[in-house]
Amino acid sequence: MTLVACIGGGQLGRMLGLAGLSLGLRFRFLDPSPTAPAAAVGELVVGDFDDEAALTRLAAGADVVTYEFENVAVVSAERVNALPPARALELGQDRLVEKELFKRLAIPSARFGTLAETGLPAIVKSRRLGYDGKGQRRVDALEEASAHELAEELVGFDRELSILGVRSRSGETRFWPVVENLHRAGILRVSRAPASDAPQAEAEEFVGRLLDELGYVGVIALELFDVGGKLLANEFAPRVHNTGHWTIEGATTSQFENHLRAILGLPLGDTDAIGRSVMINLIGGAPPVEELLRLPRAHVHLYGKDPRPGRKIGHVTLVDASEPTVAEAVALIERFADG
């Protein structure tokens, strides 16, 4: 039986496992926590992500190794020949290097560099390890940014979008519809798919350039700003992504199944949307499950994580639900969320 090993045992690993079990796959995960969510769907190796012995145990007998978060040490990914390739991690982990990559590939993005170059106001971000709004701040007056920070022009966008693509070992590519996203306090709250009047072809072109440049295998996400109909790239994630969770019920093939198909050399599945989906994150807390299950056309996903402020503990996807139902679901979930 084919064995897939994964660096990281969080909810993304768990959902990869759930998608792969129906394909007859086995899973092994590496995570520092003995209660990692992915332990429910496969063997768990408990250890640090850069522990050479733990990585050796993870990869032993595996047909392929992948990862579920983008802050995996490049040397660790190289040691186990992980897919997507380690170069994608290397270029995506440093915001300055990432923006320079966009520039080289003619993918438009906000001005970046020093505060003198971006103008004020601006957003100053840590070059590494920022996520969910962490490691960034608004700046309204000139100051000295450290060598570990990058200034970016403050973009007055109309909406936040994202697109997911997948590339196989043979170079076959597929793209899911562009999604519209709502963030609060830097954390994704709601995704709507497909986004209305989205520039799908342009977004696919940008992702295609990244896939080809990186020699990519697997699923990739590109976050975008829509500024008066013009797309600006914000950042990419070399992994399955929160803004693609809707694909589990709302697309012909989910991001998780297609990621597995890609890294295992299997034919890719269709990425068409089945209907109109709304995905709502459960952040910090969640309503009683019986209340969620009363929502018409709702699909509930709980990750097995203890609630705490700012933590994604699950999500709910509504497919082809009425707007009143969506509003009811958002209001219910927001009553139990923090932030």
Side-chain angles (χ1 to χ4, degrees), residues 122-143:
I123 301 295
V124 173
K125 301 179 178 180
S126 60
R127 286 176 55 177
R128 291 181 173 270
L129 301 179
Y131 67 96
D132 283 350
K134 299 177 176 65
Q136 63 184 51
R137 54 195 168 87
R138 176 177 169 142
V139 173
D140 293 285
L142 283 177
E143 62 176 64

Side-chain angles (χ1 to χ4, degrees), residues 19 77 116 173 184 187 217 275 278 285 319:
T173 58
R184 192 172 70 249
I187 301 175
V217 178
V278 179
V319 180

Side-chain angles (χ1 to χ4, degrees), residues 179-191:
V179 175
E180 183 171 347
N181 304 304
L182 173 65
H183 292 78
R184 192 172 70 249
I187 301 175
L188 178 68
R189 304 288 168 160
V190 178
S191 290

Side-chain angles (χ1 to χ4, degrees), residues 188-255:
L188 178 68
R189 304 288 168 160
V190 178
S191 290
R192 288 178 174 266
S196 61
D197 301 319
Q200 182 75 29
E202 185 178 17
E204 289 185 11
E205 173 65 24
F206 293 165
V207 177
R209 293 176 198 171
L210 285 171
L211 294 173
D212 291 341
E213 171 68 19
L214 299 172
Y216 201 86
V217 178
V219 166
I220 193 171
L222 178 63
E223 298 178 10
L224 301 153
F225 296 130
D226 181 353
V227 184
K230 178 183 178 182
L231 292 182
L232 296 180
N234 181 29
E235 59 185 46
F236 78 89
R239 55 170 172 83
V240 289
H241 197 256
N242 195 176
T243 63
H245 289 356
W246 67 274
T247 63
I248 298 173
E249 290 86 20
T252 305
T253 311
S254 77
Q255 63 165 339

